[in-house]
Amino acid sequence: MTVTEAAGAVDAVWRIESARIIAGVARIVRDVGLAEELAQDALVAALEQWPESGVPNNPGAWLMAIAKRRAIDLIRRKETYQRKLAEMGHELEIDGDSVEDDVEAILEDHIEDDLLRLVFTACHPVLTMDARVTLTLRLLGGLKTDEIARAFLAPEATIAQRIVRAKRNLAKANVQFEVPAGDELLERLSSVLEVVYLIYNEGYSATAGDDWMRPALCNEAMRLGRLLAELMPDEPEVLGLLALMELQSSRANARIGPEGEPVLLLEQNRRRWDRLLISRGLEGLDRAWTLEKPPGPYLLQAAIAACHARAADAEDTDWARIAGLYAILAQVTPSPVVELNQAVAISMAFGPQRGLDAVDVLADDPSLKDYHLLPSVRGDLLFKLGRLDEARIEFEKAAALTRNERERTLLLERAAAC
C-alpha cells in the first residue's frame, strides 16, 4: 500500500483504538503522559512498516503490542521492573522472552477496567476542571487538539497548552493510575460524566470531517457509561447520563440518509429508531427518578430525550414539557447553548416568532460567536416566518462556521431553498 493509504489506515485505527492502547500502556508505566508518548511511538512504527507489510488483520492489537513492548523495554532500562510488577500486585520471574507474555496476561485480566482508570486519572483534582475534561477527551477519545477546541468553543492554542500542562502536572504530582474510592469518588464523578458525554457528542455529531457521525466514539462512551452505572448504581446522574446516551443513540439509523447525508429529527423515520435502546433508556430513566434526589443536568436531558422517544411521530411531541424541562436545566446548569435549545422548543410549542424572540436575546453572547447552530436555528425560524432573504443569510453564515462537510452541504441546501 502507498504511504498515503497507510497514513489513512493508521489514522482510522487510532481513532478507534487509541484509548485502549494508552490505557493498557498506562497500567504498565503508571504515567498517562508517558503512556500517550509510547502509544504515539507505536503509531510511528505503523507508518514506517505498514506501507511495506500492509495493515495487519488486527491493527489495534498490533499497535497495542508494539506500545506495550516499548513500555516494558523502557522499564527494563530504568531497572525498576521488579518494583513496577510489585505495584501491580503480582510476583513474576523475569525470564527472557516470557516477560512480555506474563505482562500481557496481567493486562488482559484487567482490560475492562483500564479505560475507567484512565478517565479517573485524567480527572484528578490536581488538575483544573477544564484540564481534566480536555485531557481525558484527548486520551479517551483520541481527538485532535482542534476538535477539542471546537467542542469547548475555545482557541486551539489554549487547548494545546492545557493538554501539555495537564500531563506535566499529573506526572509532577505522581498521580496513581486507579479508580478512587469513597468520598473522593463522588467528588470526581461530575467531571468524569462531563468527559464521557463530550466524547459521546463528538461521535453523535462530529465537529469536523466528512462523516455526520462517528459511531465508535458513541459506543465507547456508552460502554464507559455502563461501567459507571455498575460502579455507582444509586447515583441518578450516572443512570441519567447512560439513559440519555441510549435514547439519543436509538435514533442513529434514522439520522443518516442513503448517501450519508444528515436527516434532522423532525424528518426522521421513527420506525427506524432502535426500540431496544429506547426501552433500556426509559428503564434507566425510571430507575433514576425512583432514587428521589434533586435532578441534575444529565437526568433532565434524558427526560427531554424521553419526550421524543415516547412520541410516535413529530406531531405528537410534548414540546411544552420539553420547553419547561429546558427552563429547569437552564437553572441547574446556566448555559447559552441550553437557552438556544429552549428557544427551539418554545418555537415548536408556541410558534416561530416566540422562538425567534428568545434566540435574538442570545445574539450578542460572545461564547456563541462562532457557534454554527445559532445562525442555523435563527435561519430556520426566519424561514418559517417567510422572511426568506434573512433566512438565507443565516443559513450561509452557519455553513461557513461548521467544519463538518455533511452539515455544511445541508445548510447550503437550506440556503438555496430560500
Side-chain angles (χ1 to χ4, degrees):
M1 65 194 310
T2 66
V3 173
T4 301
E5 289 171 337
V10 169
D11 185 62
V13 173
W14 180 254
R15 288 287 191 179
I16 298 170
E17 301 289 349
S18 61
R20 289 185 178 88
I21 296 168
I22 294 168
V25 174
R27 171 168 275 277
I28 302 175
V29 299
R30 303 289 171 159
D31 181 324
V32 294
L34 179 57
E36 187 186 19
E37 291 177 13
L38 293 167
Q40 292 282 357
D41 286 346
L43 211 61
V44 173
L47 289 171
E48 293 172 347
Q49 296 181 37
W50 290 4
E52 294 294 329
S53 64
V55 178
N57 291 332
N58 190 335
W62 189 97
L63 289 171
M64 179 72 87
I66 295 296
K68 287 179 179 178
R69 192 172 300 127
R70 297 195 176 191
I72 293 167
D73 289 343
L74 177 65
I75 292 173
R76 277 174 166 164
R77 287 198 300 271
K78 292 183 176 180
E79 298 182 348
T80 58
Y81 196 61
Q82 290 285 8
R83 179 176 62 82
K84 290 293 181 182
L85 291 179
E87 287 177 3
M88 286 195 278
H90 294 269
E91 293 182 1
L92 298 175
E93 293 295 326
I94 300 178
D95 183 19
D97 294 336
S98 67
V99 171
E100 285 81 356
D101 295 335
D102 290 335
V103 173
E104 184 69 25
I106 294 170
L107 292 171
E108 291 304 319
D109 287 343
H110 297 273
I111 192 68
E112 292 301 317
D113 301 326
D114 284 343
L115 284 171
L116 193 58
R117 287 190 179 93
L118 184 59
V119 173
F120 275 103
T121 301
C123 290
H124 196 278
V126 72
L127 304 176
T128 66
M129 177 61 77
D130 284 345
R132 297 176 211 174
V133 174
T134 303
L135 182 60
T136 309
L137 195 59
R138 165 82 169 197
L139 299 178
L140 266 290
L143 302 185
K144 297 177 181 177
T145 304
D146 64 331
E147 292 174 316
I148 301 173
R150 181 67 176 174
F152 283 124
L153 304 178
E156 185 176 343
T158 300
I159 297 300
Q161 293 170 2
R162 192 178 297 165
I163 291 170
V164 171
R165 284 198 301 267
K167 290 191 287 189
R168 184 187 304 132
N169 289 338
L170 284 176
K172 183 178 180 181
N174 193 28
V175 171
Q176 297 300 305
F177 185 65
E178 61 186 10
V179 176
D183 293 340
E184 187 181 4
L185 179 61
L186 293 175
E187 292 172 2
R188 287 162 58 181
L189 180 61
S190 62
S191 65
V192 170
L193 296 179
E194 184 175 2
V195 165
V196 172
Y197 193 43
L198 280 171
I199 293 172
Y200 178 84
N201 275 335
E202 180 58 32
Y204 192 71
S205 296
T207 56
D210 297 328
D211 296 320
W212 177 235
M213 296 182 66
R214 284 160 50 190
L217 282 178
C218 293
N219 292 338
E220 193 60 53
M222 284 194 290
R223 195 191 73 80
L224 287 168
R226 289 179 183 124
L227 283 175
L228 285 170
E230 292 175 9
L231 183 65
M232 308 185 73
D234 296 326
E235 283 300 319
E237 277 294 87
V238 172
L239 300 178
L241 174 58
L242 179 56
L244 172 59
M245 293 189 293
E246 289 175 334
L247 290 169
Q248 288 184 320
S249 290
S250 71
R251 311 172 200 156
N253 290 335
R255 292 186 75 232
I256 299 177
E259 303 299 326
E261 71 277 12
V263 180
L264 301 180
L265 176 62
L266 299 183
E267 300 168 1
Q268 290 172 14
N269 179 355
R270 300 193 177 204
R271 289 189 296 274
R272 299 189 64 199
W273 287 7
D274 189 323
R275 306 313 301 182
L276 176 59
L277 280 175
I278 289 176
S279 176
R280 292 174 65 170
L282 293 177
E283 181 183 348
L285 180 61
D286 290 342
R287 192 162 65 251
W289 284 119
T290 63
L291 296 173
E292 298 183 351
K293 295 182 180 180
Y298 299 107
L299 187 54
L300 289 168
Q301 289 178 80
I304 292 168
C307 291
H308 294 296
R310 291 189 173 106
D313 52 52
E315 290 72 22
D316 293 335
T317 306
D318 190 347
W319 287 106
R321 174 171 170 75
I322 290 175
L325 287 167
Y326 271 122
I328 299 172
L329 181 60
Q331 294 178 349
V332 173
T333 309
S335 163
V337 174
V338 172
E339 293 181 50
L340 181 61
N341 288 327
Q342 182 186 5
V344 173
I346 289 171
S347 74
M348 297 299 295
F350 307 110
Q353 186 58 57
R354 286 275 301 274
L356 183 62
D357 293 341
V359 170
D360 285 345
V361 172
L362 305 171
D364 295 326
D365 192 301
S367 66
L368 296 178
K369 178 183 176 183
D370 297 320
Y371 190 52
H372 72 282
L373 291 182
L374 176 61
S376 175
V377 168
R378 196 167 188 277
D380 181 65
L381 296 174
L382 289 167
F383 183 86
K384 291 177 179 177
L385 291 168
R387 296 160 61 177
L388 301 185
D389 287 341
E390 295 172 84
R392 176 181 52 78
I393 292 172
E394 294 296 325
F395 285 134
E396 290 174 347
K397 184 187 301 183
L401 288 173
T402 185
R403 297 176 60 197
N404 185 282
E405 292 300 325
R406 297 288 187 180
E407 194 168 26
R408 179 178 293 113
T409 299
L410 174 65
L411 289 165
L412 292 176
E413 288 174 352
R414 299 203 69 188
C418 296

